[in-house]
Amino acid sequence: MSTVRKAAIALAAVSALALTACGPTEDGAAGGSGTPSASPTAGPGGSPGGSASAGPSATASKSAAPKKTATPSKPPKSGSTDPDYDVFPCSTFDVTFTATLAEPTTSSYLLKITNKGTKACRALGHPIVTFGDLDGQATERGAAPGIEDALRLEPGQSAYAGLMGGANDGKGKTVNSIALTMSTESDLKQTPLKASTPGLYVSPDKNSVTAWMNNAEDALSL
């Protein structure tokens, strides 16, 4: 055998060995007869080999659920629980006024006011009574309730006060009318309400008036 042919045969044998070592085998085109191993894949539940269709765990479900927020309570309605908190003192703009002779010998008069408005008001303290064109006013007789206990007048309701006349002692004067304003515990400007009082004798420090009361009898007996 010639040298050239020997070299060709040797080259062919080397090439066959190289192809056998690097090429795929008949058992597996991906790398020989052994099945390639794969790293275990954790399933959705966290354990290896878990089914892909398995749902999320209970713990994950709770954490993913939206948190409920507390509904704020409605704010309380404004205003006091006292039913009289918005009832203001009566002024002369809220009432009508009359004066009726009650005792001719003493020139005493029954004073009456009536709530002519559409809302309740309070008749505070004593009426403020002046005499015609004379200076001064009637003094207060008896105690009056505080502002919180003052007489409440609903629309159409009346309150009464007794005006004591004076005996003719020669020191005073006779007047034919009086004027009334209301105590309001404020600087509210009021228009005086007038009433006829024929023959009312006004004597210094002798004419007095009671606080507002809810009946005529008590107003005249004090």
Side-chain angles (χ1 to χ4, degrees), residues 158-174:
S158 299
Y160 305 87
L163 175 65
M164 179 66 70
N168 190 339
D169 56 6
K171 298 179 181 179
K173 291 184 179 180
T174 299

PDB file of all heavy atoms in Angstrom, residues 158-174:
ATOM      1  N   SER A 158    -100.505  85.336  76.285  1.00  0.00           N
ATOM      2  CA  SER A 158    -100.407  86.639  76.962  1.00  0.00           C
ATOM      3  C   SER A 158     -99.690  86.521  78.302  1.00  0.00           C
ATOM      4  O   SER A 158     -99.602  85.440  78.891  1.00  0.00           O
ATOM      5  CB  SER A 158    -101.812  87.217  77.192  1.00  0.00           C
ATOM      6  OG  SER A 158    -102.480  87.419  75.962  1.00  0.00           O
ATOM      7  N   ALA A 159     -99.184  87.639  78.769  1.00  0.00           N
ATOM      8  CA  ALA A 159     -98.587  87.759  80.095  1.00  0.00           C
ATOM      9  C   ALA A 159     -99.169  89.009  80.750  1.00  0.00           C
ATOM     10  O   ALA A 159     -99.623  89.940  80.063  1.00  0.00           O
ATOM     11  CB  ALA A 159     -97.070  87.857  80.001  1.00  0.00           C
ATOM     12  N   TYR A 160     -99.138  89.025  82.108  1.00  0.00           N
ATOM     13  CA  TYR A 160     -99.811  90.098  82.844  1.00  0.00           C
ATOM     14  C   TYR A 160     -98.877  90.675  83.909  1.00  0.00           C
ATOM     15  O   TYR A 160     -98.011  89.993  84.448  1.00  0.00           O
ATOM     16  CB  TYR A 160    -101.064  89.554  83.531  1.00  0.00           C
ATOM     17  CG  TYR A 160    -102.022  88.870  82.576  1.00  0.00           C
ATOM     18  CD1 TYR A 160    -101.872  87.517  82.268  1.00  0.00           C
ATOM     19  CD2 TYR A 160    -103.058  89.578  81.977  1.00  0.00           C
ATOM     20  CE1 TYR A 160    -102.736  86.886  81.392  1.00  0.00           C
ATOM     21  CE2 TYR A 160    -103.937  88.954  81.097  1.00  0.00           C
ATOM     22  CZ  TYR A 160    -103.757  87.601  80.810  1.00  0.00           C
ATOM     23  OH  TYR A 160    -104.620  86.981  79.935  1.00  0.00           O
ATOM     24  N   ALA A 161     -99.112  91.949  84.221  1.00  0.00           N
ATOM     25  CA  ALA A 161     -98.399  92.627  85.309  1.00  0.00           C
ATOM     26  C   ALA A 161     -99.368  93.614  85.952  1.00  0.00           C
ATOM     27  O   ALA A 161    -100.285  94.136  85.289  1.00  0.00           O
ATOM     28  CB  ALA A 161     -97.156  93.346  84.802  1.00  0.00           C
ATOM     29  N   GLY A 162     -99.174  93.838  87.244  1.00  0.00           N
ATOM     30  CA  GLY A 162    -100.042  94.765  87.968  1.00  0.00           C
ATOM     31  C   GLY A 162     -99.334  96.083  88.233  1.00  0.00           C
ATOM     32  O   GLY A 162     -98.237  96.103  88.810  1.00  0.00           O
ATOM     33  N   LEU A 163     -99.943  97.182  87.801  1.00  0.00           N
ATOM     34  CA  LEU A 163     -99.391  98.518  88.037  1.00  0.00           C
ATOM     35  C   LEU A 163    -100.160  99.167  89.175  1.00  0.00           C
ATOM     36  O   LEU A 163    -101.368  99.412  89.062  1.00  0.00           O
ATOM     37  CB  LEU A 163     -99.495  99.369  86.774  1.00  0.00           C
ATOM     38  CG  LEU A 163     -99.071 100.836  86.915  1.00  0.00           C
ATOM     39  CD1 LEU A 163     -97.580 100.947  87.243  1.00  0.00           C
ATOM     40  CD2 LEU A 163     -99.403 101.617  85.642  1.00  0.00           C
ATOM     41  N   MET A 164     -99.476  99.408  90.279  1.00  0.00           N
ATOM     42  CA  MET A 164    -100.096 100.014  91.450  1.00  0.00           C
ATOM     43  C   MET A 164    -100.089 101.530  91.324  1.00  0.00           C
ATOM     44  O   MET A 164     -99.038 102.139  91.110  1.00  0.00           O
ATOM     45  CB  MET A 164     -99.341  99.601  92.713  1.00  0.00           C
ATOM     46  CG  MET A 164     -99.905 100.197  93.999  1.00  0.00           C
ATOM     47  SD  MET A 164    -101.555  99.577  94.388  1.00  0.00           S
ATOM     48  CE  MET A 164    -101.167  97.886  94.842  1.00  0.00           C
ATOM     49  N   GLY A 165    -101.283 102.132  91.439  1.00  0.00           N
ATOM     50  CA  GLY A 165    -101.384 103.591  91.421  1.00  0.00           C
ATOM     51  C   GLY A 165    -101.073 104.164  92.802  1.00  0.00           C
ATOM     52  O   GLY A 165    -100.897 103.426  93.771  1.00  0.00           O
ATOM     53  N   GLY A 166    -101.018 105.437  92.905  1.00  0.00           N
ATOM     54  CA  GLY A 166    -100.733 106.085  94.190  1.00  0.00           C
ATOM     55  C   GLY A 166    -101.928 106.907  94.664  1.00  0.00           C
ATOM     56  O   GLY A 166    -102.741 107.373  93.863  1.00  0.00           O
ATOM     57  N   ALA A 167    -102.041 107.019  95.986  1.00  0.00           N
ATOM     58  CA  ALA A 167    -103.081 107.872  96.560  1.00  0.00           C
ATOM     59  C   ALA A 167    -102.717 109.329  96.328  1.00  0.00           C
ATOM     60  O   ALA A 167    -101.540 109.689  96.343  1.00  0.00           O
ATOM     61  CB  ALA A 167    -103.208 107.594  98.053  1.00  0.00           C
ATOM     62  N   ASN A 168    -103.753 110.141  96.125  1.00  0.00           N
ATOM     63  CA  ASN A 168    -103.529 111.563  95.852  1.00  0.00           C
ATOM     64  C   ASN A 168    -103.087 112.255  97.142  1.00  0.00           C
ATOM     65  O   ASN A 168    -103.888 112.560  98.026  1.00  0.00           O
ATOM     66  CB  ASN A 168    -104.809 112.211  95.324  1.00  0.00           C
ATOM     67  CG  ASN A 168    -104.563 113.608  94.791  1.00  0.00           C
ATOM     68  OD1 ASN A 168    -103.567 114.249  95.137  1.00  0.00           O
ATOM     69  ND2 ASN A 168    -105.463 114.099  93.959  1.00  0.00           N
ATOM     70  N   ASP A 169    -101.790 112.452  97.255  1.00  0.00           N
ATOM     71  CA  ASP A 169    -101.226 113.073  98.453  1.00  0.00           C
ATOM     72  C   ASP A 169    -100.822 114.521  98.200  1.00  0.00           C
ATOM     73  O   ASP A 169    -100.168 115.148  99.041  1.00  0.00           O
ATOM     74  CB  ASP A 169    -100.030 112.272  98.961  1.00  0.00           C
ATOM     75  CG  ASP A 169     -98.942 112.085  97.904  1.00  0.00           C
ATOM     76  OD1 ASP A 169     -99.079 112.685  96.803  1.00  0.00           O
ATOM     77  OD2 ASP A 169     -97.956 111.352  98.149  1.00  0.00           O
ATOM     78  N   GLY A 170    -101.187 115.049  97.064  1.00  0.00           N
ATOM     79  CA  GLY A 170    -100.857 116.429  96.745  1.00  0.00           C
ATOM     80  C   GLY A 170     -99.431 116.615  96.266  1.00  0.00           C
ATOM     81  O   GLY A 170     -99.028 117.738  95.943  1.00  0.00           O
ATOM     82  N   LYS A 171     -98.659 115.558  96.197  1.00  0.00           N
ATOM     83  CA  LYS A 171     -97.265 115.677  95.776  1.00  0.00           C
ATOM     84  C   LYS A 171     -97.038 115.200  94.339  1.00  0.00           C
ATOM     85  O   LYS A 171     -95.940 115.361  93.822  1.00  0.00           O
ATOM     86  CB  LYS A 171     -96.351 114.859  96.699  1.00  0.00           C
ATOM     87  CG  LYS A 171     -96.377 115.317  98.148  1.00  0.00           C
ATOM     88  CD  LYS A 171     -95.470 114.431  98.997  1.00  0.00           C
ATOM     89  CE  LYS A 171     -95.507 114.863 100.454  1.00  0.00           C
ATOM     90  NZ  LYS A 171     -94.643 114.008 101.308  1.00  0.00           N
ATOM     91  N   GLY A 172     -98.064 114.617  93.777  1.00  0.00           N
ATOM     92  CA  GLY A 172     -97.875 114.046  92.447  1.00  0.00           C
ATOM     93  C   GLY A 172     -98.744 114.723  91.403  1.00  0.00           C
ATOM     94  O   GLY A 172     -99.253 115.821  91.603  1.00  0.00           O
ATOM     95  N   LYS A 173     -98.958 114.013  90.285  1.00  0.00           N
ATOM     96  CA  LYS A 173     -99.749 114.534  89.180  1.00  0.00           C
ATOM     97  C   LYS A 173    -100.595 113.424  88.575  1.00  0.00           C
ATOM     98  O   LYS A 173    -100.263 112.237  88.680  1.00  0.00           O
ATOM     99  CB  LYS A 173     -98.836 115.128  88.089  1.00  0.00           C
ATOM    100  CG  LYS A 173     -98.121 116.396  88.502  1.00  0.00           C
ATOM    101  CD  LYS A 173     -97.328 116.969  87.328  1.00  0.00           C
ATOM    102  CE  LYS A 173     -96.618 118.264  87.702  1.00  0.00           C
ATOM    103  NZ  LYS A 173     -95.852 118.823  86.575  1.00  0.00           N
ATOM    104  N   THR A 174    -101.647 113.812  87.937  1.00  0.00           N
ATOM    105  CA  THR A 174    -102.506 112.866  87.245  1.00  0.00           C
ATOM    106  C   THR A 174    -102.101 112.825  85.773  1.00  0.00           C
ATOM    107  O   THR A 174    -101.886 113.867  85.157  1.00  0.00           O
ATOM    108  CB  THR A 174    -103.983 113.271  87.365  1.00  0.00           C
ATOM    109  OG1 THR A 174    -104.359 113.277  88.761  1.00  0.00           O
ATOM    110  CG2 THR A 174    -104.881 112.319  86.620  1.00  0.00           C
TER     111      THR A 174
END
